[in-house]
Amino acid sequence: MTLQSAAPVVPDEIARAVVLPDGYVDLDGVVFPACDWLRANAPIAQVQVEGYDPVWLIAKHAHNKEVLRNAATFSSGEENFMLTTKAGDDYLKEMLGGTTKVIDNLTPMDAPEHGDHRNAQAPAFALEAVRKYEPRFHELAKAKVEEFLGTGGECDAVEVLSRDYPLEVVMEMISVPPQDFALMHKMTQETFGGDDPDVVKDSTAEMSPETTARLWREAVEGFYDYFEVMREERLTCPVDDLASAVMNSTLMNGERMTERRQNHMVSSIAMAGHDTVNSSIAGALYGLAKYPDQFDLVKANPELIPGLVDEGLRWATPAKHFMRTATRDVEFHGQSILKGDRVMCLFISANRDEDVFHDPYAFDITRKPNPHLSFSFGPHICLGLHVSRLEMRALFEELLPRIASIELMSEPRLKRGNFVTGYKTLPVRFTAA
């Protein structure tokens, strides 16, 4: 794969800002300015950063939607769905027989397999199906709010409020016992935390690309081993939980998914359902603390909480990108994307696109519509979007009546990483209502 010369020239510092994990610890100073430049000057451009394969950067909201909608031309299953180093991908291919498919879930699947497996599980994630968990969401949220209030008015909102609540929700939905909370927390952090030495500490090697890839693989294998025990139990004695529904779902041919996929599908609920929601809750809290007028609005009108939830999702954009691979040569808005080219859908840029979002860097809970791409778009749109919205709404419905104000004590710290990343700390000061 070689870099094409016909694409707009992107300065190296711009390419490095959006490709390398380092920049994501400073969104305002590094990543957002680079995304602004790309949208204005090179909305579809191929770049090559040392250590990575050439990659097309897709910066505009509309272009992202086109790529995500056209799964036949832009495949999810041919190469790694995360942008990682060439050395990391080569390591995975060597270990996995030529593929980077560490986890065999819906994400790295193409049609028709993807549609069959998605449709089999979709009823369990439908809004009417997940509403049954809502009372328990409120109980878990109320307990976290009490813990938050118990700090006396100053705390790290990530540590006290946003970090553990989504994992508790996930554990409740798949019936993981409370004594396994610490293990689940460790595994979910290690899944997407390989780029951040504060999140994943490995004493045997430096955090080389190969080490990061190895830790990602080991984290997924840890989930697999854990859920293999659950899988056997749920197939023989299903209970009324999400794990049973997924593992016992049937494909169009009337058969269940393979054992590997049963495990990986349930593993995905734990992986994707934790840190993404943690980041989105923290993003909403950050917005309320930074924009007191928005806090006053939602305090006065709780009916705005769904808008707060969606703005928190846009503001945080927990999945910064998703990768696709061109399955054929295609002319895409004047650019020649060749078969095999890697395409990086920059959700972090699309969610700040000034052509779609008025005043995109303002936190505005009244945005209507708010077509953020935090759940992706097209056939691969997040299956758990109703769960995420319901659990976030439950938390804010419990929290907002209990506090009279909230403000930042200092700026939050962000995790290092270019894929699923978010807030490492969010120091806040609040007064109880």
Side-chain angles (χ1 to χ4, degrees):
M1 193 184 302
T2 58
L3 187 67
Q4 297 178 41
S5 59
V9 176
V10 176
D12 186 59
E13 64 271 19
I14 298 292
R16 291 172 61 84
V18 297
V19 166
L20 296 179
D22 306 59
Y24 289 80
V25 302
D26 185 6
L27 293 178
D28 290 334
V30 176
V31 175
F32 286 147
C35 290
D36 292 347
W37 188 95
L38 287 168
R39 290 194 305 275
N41 300 284
I44 304 166
Q46 195 182 36
V47 301
Q48 182 160 24
V49 173
E50 184 179 0
Y52 292 78
D53 284 326
V55 59
W56 287 92
L57 304 178
I58 310 297
K60 295 288 290 180
H61 187 279
H63 297 157
N64 271 271
K65 287 178 66 176
E66 286 185 57
V67 170
L68 296 167
R69 184 188 295 117
N70 190 351
T73 299
F74 299 103
S75 163
S76 298
E78 293 199 1
E79 294 288 347
N80 200 335
F81 57 82
M82 301 181 287
L83 180 66
T84 59
T85 60
K86 190 175 187 304
D89 281 348
D90 288 346
Y91 166 83
L92 292 177
K93 288 177 181 179
E94 182 180 349
M95 294 295 103
L96 301 173
T99 180
T100 59
K101 194 179 290 188
V102 172
I103 185 165
D104 200 4
N105 63 2
L106 291 174
T107 305
M109 279 189 192
D110 290 321
E113 200 172 35
H114 172 264
D116 192 6
H117 283 72
R118 184 183 175 95
N119 290 339
Q121 300 169 72
F125 290 89
L127 180 58
E128 57 272 19
V130 298
R131 280 198 186 280
K132 68 182 180 183
Y133 300 103
E134 201 168 5
R136 185 59 178 148
F137 291 174
H138 276 274
E139 291 177 7
L140 294 170
K142 188 176 297 184
K144 296 309 295 183
V145 170
E146 291 294 341
E147 186 178 339
F148 180 74
L149 295 171
T151 63
E154 292 185 359
C155 69
D156 174 6
V158 169
E159 180 181 3
V160 177
L161 190 60
S162 73
R163 186 189 64 194
D164 292 347
Y165 168 67
L167 185 56
E168 291 172 358
V169 164
V170 168
M171 290 173 62
E172 183 76 20
M173 295 183 75
I174 57 179
S175 302
V176 172
Q179 61 266 27
D180 290 342
F181 183 92
L183 174 63
M184 293 291 288
H185 182 267
K186 178 178 182 291
M187 291 194 298
T188 57
Q189 291 302 288
E190 289 176 348
T191 302
F192 298 126
D195 287 317
D196 193 316
D198 289 343
V199 177
V200 176
K201 297 179 175 66
D202 183 81
S203 59
T204 63
E206 295 181 1
M207 294 300 288
S208 65
E210 293 85 355
T211 301
T212 300
R214 175 176 61 80
L215 292 172
W216 156 239
R217 181 189 178 197
E218 289 176 356
V220 172
E221 288 175 347
F223 272 109
Y224 187 94
D225 292 342
Y226 181 91
F227 285 112
E228 173 59 17
V229 177
M230 178 183 288
R231 186 187 70 81
E232 294 178 353
E233 293 174 350
R234 295 297 191 276
L235 291 179
T236 56
C237 299
V239 298
D240 186 20
D241 70 357
L242 193 56
S244 294
V246 170
M247 289 174 170
N248 286 280
S249 63
T250 55
L251 304 173
M252 288 186 66
N253 61 8
E255 297 180 0
R256 292 193 179 105
M257 295 179 283
T258 64
E259 295 178 3
R260 173 180 169 85
R261 285 179 172 168
Q262 289 170 350
N263 277 345
H264 281 192
M265 296 297 177
V266 176
S267 297
S268 303
I269 299 170
M271 293 180 201
H274 176 213
D275 232 24
T276 53
V277 181
N278 167 21
S279 178
S280 299
I281 291 170
L285 288 167
Y286 180 31
L288 292 177
K290 192 168 184 176
Y291 292 84
D293 62 311
Q294 299 299 296
F295 178 82
D296 292 342
L297 270 178
V298 73
K299 278 285 289 182
N301 185 2
E303 291 183 3
L304 292 174
I305 288 177
L308 167 63
V309 166
D310 269 310
E311 187 68 343
L313 286 157
R314 184 190 75 90
W315 189 256
T317 313
K320 304 303 187 271
H321 79 270
F322 264 96
M323 297 298 296
R324 296 292 188 263
T325 303
T327 61
R328 62 182 180 87
D329 295 353
V330 59
E331 287 292 316
F332 191 71
H333 295 276
Q335 301 303 322
S336 298
I337 299 178
L338 304 182
K339 181 179 180 179
D341 281 358
R342 304 276 279 137
V343 177
M344 186 179 189
C345 290
L346 288 169
F347 295 177
I348 190 67
S349 176
N351 278 353
R352 297 295 196 282
D353 190 339
E354 49 285 308
D355 288 345
V356 177
F357 303 100
H358 172 70
D359 198 5
Y361 288 97
F363 187 81
D364 181 1
I365 66 173
T366 66
R367 289 187 189 277
K368 278 192 178 180
N370 190 347
H372 60 78
L373 298 183
S374 294
F375 291 123
S376 190
F377 185 78
H380 281 272
I381 193 168
C382 176
L383 199 57
L385 63 89
H386 296 308
V387 176
S388 299
R389 283 189 167 117
L390 281 178
E391 66 181 292
M392 288 179 66
R393 194 182 76 192
L395 182 66
F396 286 106
E397 286 176 348
E398 296 296 337
L399 173 67
L400 290 171
R402 304 291 302 278
I403 58 174
S405 68
I406 187 169
E407 62 182 4
L408 295 174
M409 292 174 60
S410 61
E411 285 298 310
R413 294 174 60 220
L414 297 167
K415 295 176 184 176
R416 180 183 184 273
N418 64 8
F419 185 50
V420 174
T421 60
Y423 297 87
K424 192 183 296 187
T425 66
L426 181 62
V428 298
R429 180 182 294 112
F430 65 91
T431 55

